[in-house]
Amino acid sequence: MLAALLAALLALRLTQLQVGESGRLAAQAELSRVHRLPLEAERGIIYDRHGRQLVTNQPAWALSLVPAALPLDARARQRELAEVAAAAGIPEAVLAATLAAATDSYTPAPIRGRIDDRQAQALRERLPGWTGVSLDFKPVRTYVDPLVFGHVLGYTAPLDGQDYAQLRASGYRADETMGKAGVEAGLESVLRGADGWSDVEYDASGQVVKTVAAQPSQPGQSVYLSLDAGLQTATVQYLQEGLKELGKQAGAAMVVDPSTGEVLAMASAPSLDTNLFTGGISQADYSRLLADPAKPLYDRALNGLYAPGSTFKMITAAAALQEGKISPSTTLGCPAAISYGGWTYANWAGYDMGPMNVTRAIALSCDTFFYRVADMVGDTTLASYAKAFGYGAAPRFQIPGASAGVAPDSNWLADNCQAPQGDAGEPPAPSCRWNPGETLTMGIGQSYLLTTPLIQSMYIAALANGGTLYNPNLVHQVRDGNGGLVSTGAPSVVRQVPVSPDAMATVREGMRLCLADPHGTGYQFRLAGWPATGGCKTGTAQYGGSGLDLPTHAWFTFFTPFDNPEIAMVVMVEGGGEGDQAAEPIALKIAQYYLAHRAEIRS
């Protein structure tokens, strides 16, 4: 009788297991199987040219949850999720959305990152009561001095839905981070490395029992930028101090090596704290950045489009000399104004500066001289020389998104006109016709002409080195995880500008006189007792419409020494006024820093 009763109870229990609890047991059995987990590669480190570390991969705790390990019972499941959300300090709805977006229920879904040791200890005490929840170290990208290097380095951030849809086929995971701006974005494939994998066996509670097999990850390569950290810091400091003294907020500065195209310093103001982005920027912080009228998200060195003003006059001179419209000895007057087509075109000086040749016209920045020369050259030819020096084409650069600038002429205006057009065969609308006066103002860097500080730096470098236009380069070296050299940043030549050595020498002489002549516009350098040779050109570029008394951007361009230039420099102050008064003092301080630290920078 007892045996029959025991047999009946055993049969009943077997029925319960097979029918009533089949779902739970099946889930436990499935969870106990082996699953492949990704092993995230450590992102490559970024250094300056001398090995000063600019970013770190800071270890931090991260909380994750295996969706398949959650209780099957709905109430128990909801209770655990509520406890986890409360302990992690995140809304339950956010946690639910994270789990719903998980593509693999056996891969740990990230719940919260950047957890400090105190928070991790509190969470660790709760782990035994939860199924499938774990705490692990996950590196967080941190920028050592983001307000100095922010726009150059950029930042990493978690993939959004669109990123993941585009990159999933390339092996990216939904919980991964990627470079979103600056060098981090431009060198993503170099810095990212290759993920590994680990085949692990879980128990029924979602805990790892053992590792069956594994392939280690390969860390990303280390990048040594061409920047010198000290010069970069000084450039940012002097730019910001100069802006503050002027009561301005925005500007940019570039220092490059004219013999290679390497960028030694690259600053855009206002600066940007890129550490705000690394774990996913808050909506409040992002809204604040977007609402800031100074536009700190905007990289002015790379993307700021400005009329170059008188810093363009060397191109006008080079075109006229090369085309035989003038010679080095051609003398023209420099009156206070000239009349052309019924319009008056004024010089910056309200008096007659007397007759002068092209070198003196560059040094003294005579507008009326260059109006006449530009008219001799013509708009199409002038635009072709602007393009030869880099205008109108985005530089190939390791930071993506560089602006191209504009090298305009009558054809460009017809192609880009926004006014309503007539029927086919009819002449263009009046606003789409190139007024001959546009050629005159283009000769002094106005009209529709636009450039960026990056384009200007390569243009001035080409003048400094005698005519080789380089692509800008930010990479000095790339090394593997063991420190082995992978590659070096070899110079990349765009072209030799179509200007003869004699014509180039004449233009460079004008820049030398800008610095050395008692009446040259580089007087801030002379007053400071600048001890070296070099060449310069100031620029004061109107913007905001047409007419008199318009606001102006301030430019200063410079290279030194004169015979074997080591640096070429561009400083731009947005809305700064006169180039010699606003941009030149900033450039002087940067140049003085370079001279004082030349040995360590060039080592």
Side-chain angles (χ1 to χ4, degrees):
M1 186 71 178
L2 179 59
L5 179 60
L6 291 174
L9 290 173
L10 180 59
L12 176 62
R13 180 55 180 161
L14 287 173
T15 301
Q16 289 176 332
L17 291 173
Q18 292 173 352
V19 180
E21 299 186 29
S22 60
R24 180 179 64 83
L25 293 174
Q28 287 182 339
E30 176 67 17
L31 188 60
S32 297
R33 294 172 57 189
V34 173
H35 299 283
R36 176 159 291 183
L37 302 181
L39 298 177
E40 184 176 349
E42 184 173 3
R43 195 168 179 86
I45 302 299
I46 304 175
Y47 303 88
D48 87 334
R49 66 187 298 118
H50 302 298
R52 174 180 168 182
Q53 191 166 336
L54 306 180
V55 304
T56 63
N57 294 323
Q58 288 282 9
W61 292 102
L63 189 68
S64 60
L65 189 154
V66 179
L70 288 169
L72 290 179
D73 178 77
R75 290 185 178 179
R77 180 187 182 95
Q78 185 57 43
R79 182 170 58 252
E80 178 168 320
L81 289 177
E83 291 176 359
V84 172
I90 58 176
E92 289 184 48
V94 172
L95 176 56
T98 299
L99 296 178
T103 57
D104 180 358
S105 60
Y106 299 100
T107 298
I111 297 172
R112 181 184 168 188
R114 306 187 73 136
I115 297 172
D116 61 31
D117 288 340
R118 181 185 59 79
Q119 295 167 328
Q121 181 59 36
L123 287 167
R124 194 177 291 108
E125 293 174 358
R126 305 289 302 275
L127 288 181
W130 298 329
T131 59
V133 181
S134 62
L135 266 174
D136 303 288
F137 269 120
K138 188 176 180 67
V140 175
R141 199 70 156 176
T142 303
Y143 300 97
V144 176
D145 202 343
L147 294 180
V148 171
F149 297 92
H151 282 290
V152 176
L153 298 180
Y155 54 85
T156 61
L159 272 67
D160 57 29
Q162 183 177 358
D163 293 328
Y164 182 59
Q166 293 174 344
L167 297 172
R168 182 178 182 181
S170 300
Y172 281 77
R173 305 182 313 278
D175 65 329
E176 198 166 343
T177 61
M178 66 176 293
K180 292 292 189 79
V183 169
E184 292 277 27
L187 299 179
E188 169 71 9
S189 61
V190 175
L191 294 165
R192 179 173 178 251
D195 290 346
W197 52 264
S198 177
D199 287 342
V200 301
E201 183 179 333
Y202 287 102
D203 63 16
S205 67
Q207 301 302 315
V208 174
V209 176
K210 64 179 178 179
T211 298
V212 178
Q215 177 175 299
S217 62
Q218 298 295 320
Q221 295 172 339
S222 295
V223 174
Y224 290 72
L225 298 182
S226 58
L227 299 180
D228 177 85
L231 181 61
Q232 173 75 10
T233 301
T235 299
V236 171
Q237 175 187 337
Y238 296 140
L239 176 62
Q240 292 177 339
E241 289 176 354
L243 292 173
K244 185 176 180 179
E245 290 175 5
L246 295 164
K248 304 296 179 183
Q249 293 182 296
M254 299 281 307
V255 184
V256 303
D257 185 334
S259 65
T260 63
E262 278 195 327
V263 177
L264 301 176
M266 180 176 179
S268 176
S271 299
L272 176 67
D273 184 356
T274 46
N275 280 330
L276 293 172
F277 291 85
T278 54
I281 190 169
S282 70
Q283 187 59 52
D285 283 335
Y286 192 59
S287 297
R288 176 179 54 80
L289 290 173
L290 288 176
D292 190 331
K295 300 180 180 179
L297 291 170
Y298 187 43
D299 187 345
R300 287 165 168 84
L302 192 73
N303 301 119
L305 288 168
Y306 309 95
S310 293
T311 63
F312 185 78
K313 288 174 179 174
M314 288 82 75
I315 293 179
T316 306
L321 289 163
Q322 187 66 27
E323 296 296 316
K325 303 300 182 181
I326 63 172
S327 71
S329 61
T330 298
T331 300
L332 299 174
C334 185
I338 63 170
S339 295
Y340 185 93
W343 293 85
T344 299
Y345 296 86
N347 186 27
W348 66 266
Y351 55 88
D352 191 325
M353 300 177 73
M356 58 184 66
N357 62 9
V358 66
T359 56
R360 187 166 176 80
I362 292 173
L364 276 62
S365 199
C366 175
D367 294 328
T368 46
F369 181 99
F370 284 101
Y371 291 143
R372 294 176 178 176
V373 171
D375 187 46
M376 298 176 194
V377 173
D379 63 293
T380 302
T381 301
L382 194 54
S384 71
Y385 278 87
K387 292 175 183 176
F389 278 97
Y391 282 61
R396 195 178 73 194
F397 197 38
Q398 287 91 355
I399 299 178
S403 295
V406 176
D409 60 11
S410 54
N411 296 323
W412 173 90
L413 184 59
D415 291 340
N416 291 274
C417 181
Q418 300 299 314
Q421 299 291 299
D423 295 334
E426 292 185 0
S431 59
C432 294
R433 299 173 193 160
W434 184 268
N435 184 325
E438 297 289 354
T439 306
L440 273 65
T441 58
M442 182 178 172
I444 66 163
Q446 298 282 172
S447 184
Y448 299 96
L449 197 67
L450 292 173
T451 188
T452 67
L454 181 62
I455 291 172
Q456 288 292 90
S457 69
M458 293 297 102
Y459 150 50
I460 298 302
L463 292 174
N465 66 39
T468 303
L469 182 69
Y470 287 102
N471 280 306
N473 177 35
L474 258 175
V475 176
H476 188 59
Q477 291 181 346
V478 176
R479 293 184 175 272
D480 62 25
N482 296 318
L485 183 64
V486 175
S487 63
T488 57
S492 172
V493 175
V494 180
R495 69 179 64 88
Q496 290 295 128
V497 297
V499 179
S500 70
D502 287 344
M504 184 65 71
T506 300
V507 173
R508 294 181 79 252
E509 176 63 12
M511 296 185 74
R512 188 190 70 81
L513 292 175
C514 169
L515 198 66
D517 189 281
H519 302 289
T521 55
Y523 66 91
Q524 300 275 7
F525 275 68
R526 294 193 300 277
L527 289 175
W530 175 252
T533 59
C536 71
K537 186 70 195 78
T538 53
T540 304
Q542 292 182 323
Y543 68 97
S546 59
L548 302 175
D549 300 323
L550 292 173
T552 56
H553 301 307
W555 288 94
F556 189 76
T557 61
F558 171 77
F559 66 85
T560 189
F562 185 77
D563 290 329
N564 295 293
E566 296 177 4
I567 59 168
M569 184 190 310
V570 170
V571 174
M572 187 280 304
V573 177
E574 196 172 284
E578 302 292 328
D580 57 341
Q581 298 176 28
E584 187 176 343
I586 297 171
L588 173 61
K589 290 182 179 179
I590 298 171
Q592 288 172 327
Y593 178 92
Y594 173 80
L595 210 59
H597 298 83
R598 177 183 175 276
E600 59 197 76
I601 294 171
R602 307 304 301 192
S603 64

